[in-house]
Amino acid sequence: ETRIASMQRFVAMCVMFHQMGYRVQTFFPKISFGYWGYRMDRTHSIMRIATTASPVSGADVREQMEELRLVLKIERSVQLIVRTWKKYKGTYKMNE
């Protein structure tokens, strides 16, 4: 095998692995509405070819957890307001 053929094979593999990693990177956020996913450039490899997702740092997880807590708090507040309004509306009609 010549050096040129070897280089062509190497470049083809790099392109193939990059495309495969990119498809996986874009697949999970689509099916999970943005909750799952990873950045392709955060791998264990020094090379920028993503074959495996690296773990997310603790700071990123903490930020996501805080965001989810806030969303849950807002949803619970809205549910409480809706229940209270329905209860008020029901007692108001009964008093008429």
Side-chain angles (χ1 to χ4, degrees), residues 52-63:
T52 306
S54 68
V56 180
S57 72
D60 292 342
V61 171
R62 190 177 325 111
E63 289 174 7

Side-chain angles (χ1 to χ4, degrees), residues 9-12 17 19 25 29 34 36 39 53 60 66 71 74-76 83 94:
R9 189 167 49 100
F10 172 73
V11 169
F17 280 124
Q19 181 63 28
Q25 174 185 316
W36 294 341
R39 286 188 12 219
D60 292 342
E66 287 298 320
V71 168
I74 291 170
E75 287 176 359
R76 286 181 181 166
R83 277 191 310 245
M94 293 177 95

Side-chain angles (χ1 to χ4, degrees), residues 68-84:
L68 288 173
R69 264 190 219 109
L70 180 63
V71 168
L72 184 61
K73 212 176 204 182
I74 291 170
E75 287 176 359
R76 286 181 181 166
S77 300
V78 168
Q79 289 172 359
L80 178 64
I81 291 169
V82 167
R83 277 191 310 245
T84 307

Side-chain angles (χ1 to χ4, degrees), residues 12-45:
M13 290 294 287
C14 288
V15 169
M16 181 187 71
F17 280 124
H18 184 273
Q19 181 63 28
M20 188 170 52
Y22 181 75
R23 284 184 180 184
V24 170
Q25 174 185 316
T26 57
F27 173 75
F28 284 107
K30 285 179 185 175
I31 64 166
S32 67
F33 302 105
Y35 286 111
W36 294 341
Y38 69 95
R39 286 188 12 219
M40 182 163 75
D41 59 337
R42 295 179 60 125
T43 63
H44 293 286
S45 174

